[in-house]
Amino acid sequence: MRRSAAFPSSPPPLAELERFLAVAAYLVVRHGEAYTPTFERLEQELEEMRRRLGNQDRARRVLAELMQKGAEYEDARTPDRLQLDLEVRRLL
């Protein structure tokens, strides 16, 4: 079964989700409580996305710190460790 273009497989970007939340807020204020479930759902999705992005940022900082410390011990690295470092640096 083919998915409709109306339902993309990846989540919308943060800015787009914020825009959707603003529209839902407008609908609740302008047209009443019938739109509250949509507003609450978008609010939850936005909080979850911000949390996930925060986790990724923290993980990047941890990796950067570890790589900085590892640079101090360059002589102790093995070829496998060097390959891992190169792969991690590409992610940053």
Side-chain angles (χ1 to χ4, degrees):
M1 181 190 295
R2 197 175 141 169
R3 282 192 132 180
S4 169
F7 296 103
S9 60
S10 62
L14 185 63
E16 191 172 353
L17 201 52
E18 288 170 337
R19 205 167 40 251
F20 293 159
L21 182 64
V23 170
Y26 171 81
L27 290 172
V28 169
V29 170
R30 181 79 170 133
H31 299 288
E33 295 294 314
Y35 294 96
T36 298
T38 301
F39 173 78
E40 290 175 345
R41 173 65 188 269
L42 287 167
E43 195 172 41
Q44 290 172 357
E45 292 290 332
L46 186 58
E47 288 173 10
E48 176 65 21
M49 182 175 284
R50 286 180 176 153
R51 185 190 62 76
R52 281 194 311 261
L53 291 173
N55 290 342
Q56 290 175 358
D57 289 339
R58 286 196 320 274
R60 284 187 182 101
R61 284 193 302 269
V62 167
L63 281 175
E65 289 174 15
L66 289 173
M67 290 177 65
Q68 181 64 34
K69 289 178 184 176
E72 297 169 6
Y73 304 104
E74 189 73 33
D75 294 336
R77 293 182 176 191
T78 64
D80 291 336
R81 172 74 188 240
L82 287 172
Q83 182 64 32
L84 178 61
D85 285 348
L86 290 173
E87 291 175 19
V88 169
R89 286 173 198 229
R90 277 192 299 234
L91 296 173
L92 296 177

